[in-house]
Amino acid sequence: MLRVCSRVRPVGNKKPLANAATTSVYRTIVHQFSTCQTVSTQTRFAQWIDASTGKLDTSALETKWKARWAEIKALERQQQRASTELSAKDIEQLFYVLVMFPYPSGVLHMGHVRVYTISDTISRFYRMSGKHVVHPMGWDAFGLPAENAAIERGIAPDAWTASNIGVMKGQLARILADFDWDRELATCDPSYYKWT
C-alpha cells in the first residue's frame, strides 16, 4: 500500500520544507491530493506497467515527470521575471549554487555525475526551503584541453567544442540535473572572455 498526502508536516519543532515562498509553485503538484488517502500500489501504477513484460515502464514514467518538472521550472521563471524589484526580504532569500564547469573535450563520466548530483541536491534543498536559488551551468571551453582534443581528431576546435557542449548538455538533461540553462555560459564565447 502507498500512503499519499498533500501536506508536509513538521517533525518536532522543525519547520516544514514547503513554506509560503514555494507553496504556490509546488501546489500544482499536490492539488489533486486534497486529503491523505491510501491507494493500492498495484492500482496506482497499473498504467505504467508494460503489458508484455509485466514490469514497470520506467522510460514512460521518466518522460511524464520530465515534462511536469519542466512546467514547474517554467512557472518559477515566470514568477522570478514578474518580480523585477527585489525587496529586502527577497534579497535575504537569494542563494547561489556554483559548480565546477566541465571541459567540453569529450563526454561526461561518473565523476561528473557525482559532482553535478551534489550541486543539484543542494540547489533543490534550498529551493524547497524557500530560497530563490541561482544554479547556473557553463563550459570551461577556453583552453588547451578542448583544443588538443579537437586537434587529435582533426576537427576545428570551435566545431568540436560546440558539438561536445550539445552532447554534454543532453547527458545532464538525462540525469535530470536542474540547472538555470537561461544563465548558461561558455568561456570560449567572445561575449564572455572580452570581460576577462
Side-chain angles (χ1 to χ4, degrees), residues 74-85 182:
L75 283 172
E76 287 178 341
R77 279 196 295 271
Q78 281 179 343
Q79 287 180 346
Q80 287 173 352
R81 289 184 184 127
S83 59
T84 54
E85 294 184 24
D182 51 340

Side-chain angles (χ1 to χ4, degrees), residues 108 137 139 163-175 177 179 181-182 184:
L108 297 178
M137 175 47 85
W139 311 98
S163 170
N164 284 336
I165 287 173
V167 168
M168 293 171 118
K169 192 172 178 178
Q171 288 178 301
L172 290 169
R174 284 182 38 214
I175 66 167
F179 292 107
W181 290 109
D182 51 340
E184 178 184 14

Side-chain angles (χ1 to χ4, degrees), residues 126-148:
Y126 281 103
R127 186 172 289 119
M128 290 176 69
S129 297
K131 299 282 187 186
H132 300 287
V133 177
V134 176
H135 189 210
M137 175 47 85
W139 311 98
D140 191 1
F142 191 74
L144 289 177
E147 191 169 336
N148 286 339

Side-chain angles (χ1 to χ4, degrees), residues 39-193:
V39 293
S40 163
T41 305
Q42 186 177 8
T43 305
R44 177 127 171 91
F45 293 106
Q47 62 182 326
W48 306 110
I49 303 295
D50 186 347
S52 60
T53 63
K55 293 184 178 179
L56 186 65
D57 185 1
T58 55
S59 63
L61 272 172
E62 181 180 350
T63 302
K64 173 195 172 182
W65 287 108
K66 276 184 180 180
R68 186 69 186 119
W69 291 331
E71 289 175 26
I72 291 168
K73 191 73 172 172
L75 283 172
E76 287 178 341
R77 279 196 295 271
Q78 281 179 343
Q79 287 180 346
Q80 287 173 352
R81 289 184 184 127
S83 59
T84 54
E85 294 184 24
L86 294 175
S87 67
K89 184 179 179 186
D90 289 335
I91 291 172
E92 289 175 10
Q93 295 300 317
L94 292 175
F95 193 82
Y96 188 68
V97 180
L98 182 63
V99 68
M100 174 192 78
F101 294 161
Y103 299 120
S105 55
V107 295
L108 297 178
H109 53 73
M110 286 310 296
H112 290 105
V113 173
R114 177 181 158 266
V115 169
Y116 302 128
T117 301
I118 292 169
S119 77
D120 186 57
T121 303
I122 292 168
S123 169
R124 290 173 192 263
F125 172 79
Y126 281 103
R127 186 172 289 119
M128 290 176 69
S129 297
K131 299 282 187 186
H132 300 287
V133 177
V134 176
H135 189 210
M137 175 47 85
W139 311 98
D140 191 1
F142 191 74
L144 289 177
E147 191 169 336
N148 286 339
I151 291 169
E152 286 174 12
R153 289 160 180 83
I155 301 171
D158 58 341
W160 173 254
T161 300
S163 170
N164 284 336
I165 287 173
V167 168
M168 293 171 118
K169 192 172 178 178
Q171 288 178 301
L172 290 169
R174 284 182 38 214
I175 66 167
L176 302 176
D178 186 27
F179 292 107
D180 295 333
W181 290 109
D182 51 340
R183 299 175 189 269
E184 178 184 14
L185 64 92
T187 58
C188 62
D189 185 352
S191 67
Y192 172 81
Y193 68 74

Side-chain angles (χ1 to χ4, degrees), residues 8-17:
V8 178
R9 292 187 178 89
V11 178
N13 61 357
K14 295 184 179 180
K15 294 180 181 177
L17 287 179

